[in-house]
């Protein structure tokens, strides 16, 4: 029997009153695949993330994480999920270590396992030496690294990133982009990355272009370029969204 | 999900809240200043104006400062409950609430853990207040200090649940001022915290009824009796019932399919 997709979305629609935020969304993400979700403001990216993280309930359609339905088996599904939100969600008055330990407690890890995982994830991001510093003292790029480390502590199968590089300088941004792509390739973690920055896309990434709640393109970089008949992702995006900025 | 998972998660949530409270010195001090001003200034001024007859649990004439002390314990817990609710609204606006809500535990359990964390902080505040009050010659029987603990836990849970309930309905942080005006102050002033029921009845039958059915009054009476080593069954059941009602509505409010979260799109994201 084949492994279930890390994320499988089928016939998903969602509306706020009369406003249709998402309309018949269908896509899958497999283990080790890095998928960039592109769309202008108001495309439905945040609504989609709220549904995947079960902040909102799915009313129409299905979302499955590693074969677990987010509505029917939400706890099993959420255990497979690691999330980095758009805004920093670390506690500024606590140290890096305290923030991470809080997360391990929420995931029911023992103290010993938590210590091991914290060391492992922070070392990979070159942040281990700074574990006893208060988060407030870190710069934006380092805070982001801590948030990525936190999202990976419980070994999720799917990593969700909601515009994680917003407001960061170019080197910090590049560092995070490269790290997440390496994670997908080496650790076989499925990644769904909402972004509006075209330089964050790698050649072998999978792309989903969302516009006004509908999927306008879904495929590899080459497939999307072929579909739109242009040579750059910027042009393809512009064509698919009728010229709207990402 | 094992029992150990729940235990670790709850310990993590409560421990974090207690740590934050003891390390934030300004918050610790400001939480105590309010009731102490009421005790040292307001109660001292009112002592001459207000005559109190002997009524249970008191067995003799008491000073107004003594009467007001359980009410001020309730005040600490009322403000703490509302502050927890304020921080929930803030966390939701800032997005950090999401970290909690995406962990693989039932939402009611997460809310209950948050509530317990807030209650633990408020109980700590009350004990520090009672210690300072004892230096001001406001003594209760020794056994009252430990008998009041379950009463404080229950009233803290009830007032915290009320805060949770409000936070599930408050859309934005700016709306919180309304809560101060429409919930905290009416609840506090229309209660037995500052004056006994019979005294209120003398001035207004309507106010008397409002104070009698105000859950905050019952929480204060539960604390008052416990401080003097007595158990007030009516106040206990009323407070427990109020806790269950508030908590149930709060859980519904935070339920992704039934609650208010859907309607808070504006506070959650800017680029839907």
């Amino acid at each position: 029997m084949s492994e279930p997709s890390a994320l499988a979305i089928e016939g998903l629609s969602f509306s706020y009153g009369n406003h249709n935020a998402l309309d018949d969304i269908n896509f899958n993400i497999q283990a080790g695949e890095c998928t960039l979700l592109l769309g202008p403001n108001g495309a439905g990216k945040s609504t989609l993330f709220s549904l995947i993280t079960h902040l909102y309930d799915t009313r129409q359609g299905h979302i499955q994480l590693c074969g677990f339905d987010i509505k029917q088996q939400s706890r099993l599904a959420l255990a497979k999920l690691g999330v980095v939100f758009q805004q920093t969600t670390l506690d500024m008055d606590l140290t890096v270590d305290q923030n991470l330990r809080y997360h391990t407690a929420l995931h029911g890890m023992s103290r010993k396992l938590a210590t091991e995982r914290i060391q492992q994830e922070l070392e990979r991001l070159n942040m281990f030496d700074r574990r006893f510093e208060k988060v407030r003292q870190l710069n934006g790029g380092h805070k982001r690294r801590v948030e990525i480390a936190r999202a990976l502590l419980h070994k999720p199968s799917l990593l969700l990133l909601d515009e994680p590089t917003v407001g960061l300088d170019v080197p910090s941004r590049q560092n995070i982009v490269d790290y997440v792509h390496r994670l997908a390739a080496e650790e076989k973690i499925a990644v769904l990355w909402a972004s509006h920055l075209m330089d964050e896309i790698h050649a072998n990434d999978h792309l989903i272009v969302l516009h006004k709640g509908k999927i306008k393109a879904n495929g590899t970089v080459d497939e999307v370029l072929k579909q739109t008949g242009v040579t750059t992702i910027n042009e393809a995006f512009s064509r698919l969204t009728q010229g709207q900025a990402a | 999900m094992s029992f150990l998972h729940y235990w670790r998660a709850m310990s993590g949530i409560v421990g974090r809240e207690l740590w934050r409270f003891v390390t934030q010195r300004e918050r610790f001090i400001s939480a105590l200043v309010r009731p102490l001003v009421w005790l040292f200034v307001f109660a001292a001024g009112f002592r001459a104006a207000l005559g109190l007859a002997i009524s249970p649990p008191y067995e003799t004439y008491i000073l107004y400062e003594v009467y007001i002390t359980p009410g001020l314990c309730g005040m600490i817990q009322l403000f703490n409950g509302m502050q927890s609710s304020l921080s929930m609204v803030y966390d939701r606006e800032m997005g950090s609430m999401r970290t909690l809500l995406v962990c693989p535990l039932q939402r009611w359990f997460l809310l209950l853990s948050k509530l317990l964390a807030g209650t633990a902080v408020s109980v700590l505040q009350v004990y520090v207040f009672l210690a300072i009050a004892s230096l001001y010659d406001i003594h209760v029987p020794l056994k009252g200090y430990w008998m009041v603990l379950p009463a404080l836990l229950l009233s803290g849970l009830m007032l915290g649940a009320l805060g949770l309930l409000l936070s599930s309905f408050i859309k934005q942080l700016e709306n919180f001022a309304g809560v101060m005006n429409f919930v905290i102050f009416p609840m506090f002033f229309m209660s037995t915290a500052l004056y006994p029921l019979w005294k209120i009845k003398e001035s207004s039958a309507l106010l008397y009824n409002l104070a009698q059915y105000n859950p905050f009054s019952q929480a204060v009476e539960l604390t008052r009796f416990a401080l003097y080593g007595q158990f007030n069954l009516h106040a206990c059941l009323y407070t427990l019932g109020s806790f269950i009602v508030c908590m149930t509505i709060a859980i519904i409010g935070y339920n992704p399919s039934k609650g208010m979260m859907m309607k808070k799109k504006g506070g959650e994201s800017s680029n839907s």
Side-chain angles (χ1 to χ4, degrees):
Chain A
M1 217 173 92
S2 63
E3 282 273 303
S5 302
L7 177 67
I9 296 183
E10 195 189 315
L12 182 70
S13 296
F14 191 85
S15 56
Y16 300 102
N18 293 329
H19 171 64
N20 220 3
L22 292 173
D23 186 11
D24 195 26
I25 303 295
N26 295 280
F27 67 88
N28 286 352
I29 302 180
Q30 307 302 333
E33 201 172 85
C34 189
T35 302
L36 272 284
L37 179 68
L38 305 172
N41 286 341
K45 300 194 295 285
S46 289
T47 302
L48 181 61
F49 271 43
S50 295
L51 289 163
I52 297 171
T53 53
H54 199 225
L55 194 71
Y56 300 164
D57 221 349
T58 42
R59 292 167 183 164
Q60 203 181 328
H62 297 281
I63 299 175
Q64 287 194 340
L65 278 85
C66 301
F68 298 115
D69 190 279
I70 193 74
K71 193 172 177 181
Q72 310 297 336
Q73 301 159 289
S74 60
R75 281 177 293 145
L76 291 169
L78 289 173
K80 302 283 179 190
L81 181 68
V83 194
V84 177
F85 295 105
Q86 194 174 3
Q87 293 156 309
T88 301
T89 57
L90 295 166
D91 192 325
M92 297 292 159
D93 296 319
L94 300 184
T95 64
V96 169
D97 188 72
Q98 284 170 324
N99 267 286
L100 299 187
R101 281 196 190 277
Y102 177 61
H103 181 85
T104 58
L106 292 178
H107 282 265
M109 284 184 217
S110 69
R111 199 170 170 78
K112 187 168 170 268
L113 180 63
T115 307
E116 279 170 23
R117 292 272 177 88
I118 288 169
Q119 180 169 358
Q120 188 185 359
E121 294 304 332
L122 287 180
E123 275 179 347
R124 285 207 298 194
L125 284 153
N126 299 321
M127 289 295 292
F128 187 63
D129 293 341
R130 308 194 65 176
R131 67 193 183 281
F132 297 126
E133 285 181 33
K134 280 197 175 175
V135 170
R136 197 179 293 284
Q137 293 166 322
L138 305 179
N139 66 31
H142 288 158
K143 281 179 194 156
R144 275 301 181 203
R145 287 198 216 175
V146 174
E147 288 194 291
I148 293 172
R150 181 179 64 181
L152 296 169
L153 284 172
H154 57 286
K155 302 271 180 215
S157 302
L158 173 69
L159 180 63
L160 225 57
L161 301 120
D162 191 1
E163 303 194 7
T165 57
V166 167
L168 299 186
D169 57 32
V170 176
S172 302
R173 207 152 63 78
Q174 197 54 48
N175 195 305
I176 287 172
V177 171
D178 292 343
Y179 181 74
V180 172
H181 279 90
R182 262 200 324 274
L183 268 181
E186 292 167 13
E187 306 281 323
K188 297 294 169 209
I189 294 176
V191 174
L192 179 62
W193 178 313
S195 178
H196 64 280
L197 299 164
M198 302 301 159
D199 60 351
E200 290 180 346
I201 301 167
H202 282 199
N204 51 355
D205 283 345
H206 205 89
L207 300 183
I208 292 174
V209 180
L210 200 61
H211 183 50
K212 293 183 177 170
K214 287 179 194 276
I215 290 183
K216 296 289 179 183
N218 180 5
T220 61
V221 173
D222 285 342
E223 284 167 350
V224 173
L225 292 178
K226 204 170 168 186
Q227 178 194 332
T228 47
V230 292
T231 51
T232 66
I233 288 294
N234 265 326
E235 287 174 300
F237 184 81
S238 187
R239 186 158 291 189
L240 290 164
T241 60
Q242 288 111 44
Q244 282 201 35
Chain B
M1 308 291 155
S2 64
F3 169 77
L4 211 55
H5 185 169
Y6 284 97
W7 170 249
R8 283 173 181 150
M10 188 177 271
S11 309
I13 295 169
V14 175
R16 176 176 180 252
E17 200 62 37
L18 282 172
W19 175 261
R20 279 169 61 90
F21 180 70
V22 294
T23 52
Q24 289 173 350
R25 210 174 304 158
E26 299 82 7
R27 190 177 155 202
F28 194 92
I29 292 167
S30 66
L32 283 170
V33 164
R34 191 181 303 112
L36 289 174
V37 166
W38 277 81
L39 184 65
F40 296 148
V41 182
F42 179 83
F46 252 59
R47 185 196 291 181
L50 203 73
L52 293 172
I54 298 171
S55 60
Y58 306 107
E59 289 163 354
T60 177
Y61 285 105
I62 48 158
L63 288 175
Y64 186 59
E65 288 96 320
V66 174
Y67 177 82
I68 204 179
T69 298
L72 295 179
C73 293
M75 178 200 236
I76 292 171
Q77 294 200 295
L78 177 66
F79 274 84
N80 192 278
M82 295 307 135
Q83 186 160 7
S84 300
S85 131
L86 173 74
S87 75
M88 295 272 276
V89 177
Y90 179 80
D91 282 357
R92 208 176 47 222
E93 276 204 9
M94 293 297 116
S96 52
M97 184 75 174
R98 287 181 161 199
T99 339
L100 188 69
L101 297 180
V102 296
C103 80
L105 290 167
Q106 278 123 330
R107 207 153 281 188
W108 67 262
F109 177 80
L110 294 169
L111 293 174
L112 185 67
S113 301
K114 270 289 231 191
L115 195 58
L116 272 174
T119 304
V121 167
S122 79
V123 170
L124 198 68
Q125 288 172 345
V126 169
Y127 272 107
V128 174
F129 168 73
L130 286 174
I132 296 172
S134 74
L135 300 175
Y136 189 59
D137 260 356
I138 295 169
H139 298 291
V140 296
L142 209 56
K143 67 173 179 180
Y145 285 109
W146 63 263
M147 279 193 71
V148 80
L149 180 61
L152 290 175
L153 283 174
L154 182 57
S155 68
L157 284 173
M158 188 273 283
L159 294 167
L162 176 69
L164 264 185
L165 184 158
L166 292 170
S167 78
S168 72
F169 287 92
I170 296 168
K171 209 168 176 180
Q172 289 167 325
L173 208 56
E174 293 77 39
N175 303 351
F176 207 79
V179 174
M180 291 292 286
N181 293 329
F182 291 103
V183 179
I184 297 184
F185 291 135
M187 261 193 116
F188 182 65
F189 289 111
M190 282 190 286
S191 76
T192 57
L194 299 179
Y195 359 83
L197 267 181
W198 62 265
K199 200 86 183 168
I200 300 172
K201 198 175 186 180
E202 280 177 3
S203 57
S204 161
L206 175 68
L207 207 58
Y208 167 77
N209 282 324
L210 288 171
Q212 198 177 14
Y213 295 111
N214 179 355
F216 181 66
S217 287
Q218 301 301 333
V220 168
E221 290 314 301
L222 181 68
T223 306
R224 189 188 307 284
F225 276 74
L227 272 174
Y228 290 87
Q230 296 175 37
F231 177 59
N232 187 328
L233 180 65
H234 173 258
C236 181
L237 291 176
Y238 201 98
T239 311
L240 181 67
S242 307
F243 164 63
I244 292 168
V245 170
C246 291
M247 193 63 195
T248 307
I249 302 173
I251 289 168
I252 294 169
Y254 275 95
N255 184 312
S257 59
K258 301 187 183 75
M260 296 298 289
M261 300 303 285
M262 299 281 208
K263 297 172 187 170
K264 295 199 180 73
K265 185 186 147 238
E268 288 292 345
S269 62
S270 55
N271 58 342
S272 72

